[in-house]
Amino acid sequence: MNMPTRSDVEDLLFLEADLLDSWKLKEWLALYTEDAEYEVPSADLPGDADPKTSLFYIADDRFRLEERVVRLNKKTMWSEHPRSKTRHLVSNVRILEAAGDELHVRAAFAVFRSKWGNTDTYVGSYEYRLRVTNDGLKVRKKRAILELESLRPQGRVSILL
């Protein structure tokens, strides 16, 4: 099996962004492996912080990620009902390493979230571990590193970055 190209990686990341913006969370979750991890360290932590020893906004394994998707789709999720309008922009995609069936990928992001007359901007970088599977390229790990001094004025992360 050939290793994916940067174009292949970009196609996956752009698809992921589109699914999140379209609020197709079940289809988005299908892009992830069964042993997936999804992390968002707090804004005051270095990008290589460990969720076992540091406070993260989000540190989900696959099970918790599935539960998050279920909650976000419920009308009782008051912070996202009605749903936010989002636009995920992904750029500067680079394959840093290819080893075995995995790729280490870095990309820049800007996520705009509009709700209740306000627009919040989240900027940062993504660190991905992508795995080549029989079903194509999948996300094994995603870390969204916020490059903000704090979450003010947003105050929270209720959307998927």
Side-chain angles (χ1 to χ4, degrees):
M1 180 179 300
N2 293 334
M3 285 306 279
T5 65
R6 188 183 72 210
S7 180
D8 296 329
V9 170
E10 287 175 337
D11 286 347
L12 175 67
L13 302 189
F14 297 160
L15 172 61
E16 178 186 33
D18 184 52
L19 291 173
L20 288 171
D21 291 339
S22 302
W23 211 263
K24 295 179 180 176
L25 301 183
K26 289 181 182 178
E27 293 89 339
W28 170 80
L29 189 58
L31 299 177
Y32 283 68
T33 63
E34 291 302 315
D35 61 343
E37 298 171 73
Y38 174 83
E39 300 172 342
V40 182
S42 63
D44 61 342
L45 290 175
D48 61 352
D50 184 347
K52 294 177 185 155
T53 59
S54 301
L55 182 62
F56 275 44
Y57 297 126
I58 301 171
D60 288 352
D61 60 12
R62 174 64 189 233
F63 175 77
R64 289 180 63 166
L65 200 52
E66 290 171 359
E67 293 298 310
R68 185 176 300 278
V69 166
V70 168
R71 279 192 316 275
L72 284 169
N73 277 318
K74 286 185 176 181
K75 289 183 179 180
T76 56
M77 177 74 168
W78 67 267
S79 62
E80 283 305 323
H81 186 74
R83 296 176 178 156
S84 296
K85 292 184 179 190
T86 62
R87 177 60 56 205
H88 291 70
L89 304 178
V90 181
S91 68
N92 303 358
V93 177
R94 293 182 31 224
I95 298 173
L96 302 178
E97 179 185 8
D101 64 350
E102 287 198 356
L103 301 171
H104 179 201
V105 172
R106 183 176 297 141
F109 72 84
V111 178
F112 300 92
R113 173 188 178 263
S114 296
K115 185 168 183 155
W116 298 316
N118 296 312
T119 299
D120 299 321
T121 304
Y122 301 86
V123 295
S125 59
Y126 291 133
E127 293 279 337
Y128 283 96
R129 291 287 175 178
L130 303 179
R131 183 175 294 153
V132 179
T133 71
N134 292 335
D135 296 327
L137 200 54
K138 299 269 187 168
V139 178
R140 218 280 306 142
K141 182 175 183 177
K142 178 181 180 180
R143 180 175 283 199
I145 302 164
L146 292 167
E147 293 167 9
L148 305 168
E149 290 180 4
S150 69
L151 279 183
R152 298 286 173 226
Q154 300 91 333
R156 67 182 186 278
V157 179
S158 62
I159 58 171
L160 292 162
L161 297 174

